[in-house]
Amino acid sequence: MFIDTHAHLDLCSKNSPIEQIVERAKEKDVNIIIDIGIDLDSCRRTLDNSFRYQNVYSALGIHPHEAGSVDAYVLKEIKGLAKNNKKVVAIGEIGLDYYRNLSSRETQQTAFRKQIEMAKELELPIIVHDRDAHSDCLRILKEETAEKVVFHCFSGDSNMLKDCIERGYFISIAGPVTFQNADKLKDIAAATPLERLMLETDCPFLTPHPFRGKPNEPSMIPLIAEKIAEIKKLELLEIAEITTNNAKLFFGV
Ligand code: NI
């Protein structure tokens, strides 16, 4: 079986009903889905989804694009949703996005720090969104002594990978590894130790080859796993088993 460690079911539901998405995932052996919040409303909806579907779990966090909304009220709400709730398995996605810069860098960094602090308090792992902000992400995670960390849709180079592995972080790889021009990411996949690797779709974005242009969904995880199996010269079954075990241990699902 597979685990999709990063899906936005809320956004996918614009393309088809969540019930069907979950069903199609099961048909492809994608038996657990981590549904990721990006703002307070979507956090509440990921939680609804996790109550409705036994195999869906929820990650709560405010995306760097929305960093300006992170205030005492929002943090208290998220804490309230997460506390004593077994379906909440991580804080995320949180981090820094210097590509689109929808909030100022300072605002993003403050929101990131506050949410790391919250994750530590709740004893939950952290799902990091890092776009063009590698060194600040690494610096802040270190300064805030974050330990259980996954870089979602990893986009760093081999030096950053080395840093992450030394610190015990996990690397999550999405659909772009199947793209023809993805040599850099293929090298990263090859260099990532199996015991630190997880799979994700980041659906509805980043649809894998050969379905680019169509909406992405968790049922596409095997396409990513197949490509990684090819890169690592392993059987698909081994990739499925190892990445699933990694995700189970990391998220406690
Ligand atoms: Ni995402």
Side-chain angles (χ1 to χ4, degrees), residues 6 8 93 152 202:
H6 196 110
H8 299 281
E93 57 183 294
H152 123 75
D202 199 20

Side-chain angles (χ1 to χ4, degrees), residues 3-253:
I3 298 181
D4 184 352
T5 65
H6 196 110
H8 299 281
L9 294 179
D10 193 29
L11 299 172
C12 292
S13 69
K14 287 172 185 132
N15 304 311
S16 74
I18 293 177
E19 200 182 327
Q20 290 175 19
I21 292 170
V22 169
E23 216 34 60
R24 281 195 291 271
K26 275 186 194 160
E27 281 164 20
K28 296 285 182 187
D29 218 17
V30 182
N31 287 320
I32 294 177
I33 299 166
I34 316 282
D35 191 14
I36 310 288
I38 51 173
D39 57 23
L40 189 54
D41 279 346
S42 77
C43 283
R44 292 200 172 102
R45 286 193 289 268
T46 69
L47 210 51
D48 285 346
N49 292 333
S50 75
F51 291 145
R52 192 160 302 148
Y53 304 101
Q54 196 216 334
N55 61 326
V56 173
Y57 292 83
S58 163
L60 306 178
I62 309 296
H63 193 285
H65 291 344
E66 311 290 335
S69 75
V70 178
D71 56 15
Y73 167 77
V74 165
L75 292 169
K76 191 168 156 255
E77 285 297 299
I78 293 181
K79 237 181 264 179
L81 296 174
K83 224 169 194 168
N84 302 319
N85 190 335
K86 285 200 171 118
K87 296 298 301 245
V88 177
V89 295
I91 294 300
E93 57 183 294
I94 62 175
L96 304 172
D97 193 313
Y98 293 171
Y99 179 73
R100 291 186 65 193
N101 272 316
L102 294 187
S103 310
S104 76
R105 290 188 178 192
E106 203 192 339
T107 306
Q108 292 188 44
Q109 292 183 15
T110 307
F112 189 28
R113 285 186 196 275
K114 285 193 171 148
Q115 293 183 94
I116 295 170
E117 194 184 311
M118 176 172 69
K120 285 169 63 185
E121 202 178 304
L122 293 163
E123 296 181 349
L124 287 171
I126 295 164
I127 300 167
V128 175
H129 173 106
D130 158 32
R131 195 148 182 217
D132 292 353
H134 307 322
S135 59
D136 278 356
C137 273
L138 287 173
R139 178 176 57 80
I140 289 171
L141 287 165
K142 192 172 201 173
E143 285 170 4
E144 300 295 327
T145 60
E147 281 175 2
K148 224 171 171 190
V149 173
V150 59
F151 270 80
H152 123 75
C153 215
F154 186 83
S155 60
D157 62 10
S158 57
N159 282 328
M160 179 175 172
L161 177 70
K162 210 173 141 246
D163 245 17
C164 288
I165 297 307
E166 276 171 11
R167 293 188 193 186
Y169 298 168
F170 283 74
I171 305 299
S172 179
I173 291 185
V177 76
T178 67
F179 298 173
Q180 250 143 29
N181 59 355
D183 288 344
K184 193 181 139 199
L185 186 56
K186 283 171 190 157
D187 290 346
I188 291 292
T192 302
L194 276 172
E195 67 274 14
R196 296 294 179 75
L197 184 66
M198 294 201 263
L199 306 176
E200 65 167 291
T201 56
D202 199 20
C203 59
F205 314 109
L206 304 175
T207 309
H209 175 79
F211 296 108
R212 288 179 82 176
K214 294 197 175 137
N216 194 6
E217 57 173 56
S219 63
M220 305 236 187
I221 281 284
L223 295 170
I224 300 164
E226 267 165 30
K227 179 51 78 178
I228 292 175
E230 184 192 312
I231 292 166
K232 287 195 168 293
K233 300 186 177 66
L234 291 169
E235 297 295 324
L236 178 61
L237 212 65
E238 292 175 272
I239 296 296
E241 200 177 292
I242 295 166
T243 56
T244 296
N245 273 336
N246 292 344
K248 277 186 175 171
L249 287 171
F250 185 84
F251 293 107
V253 295

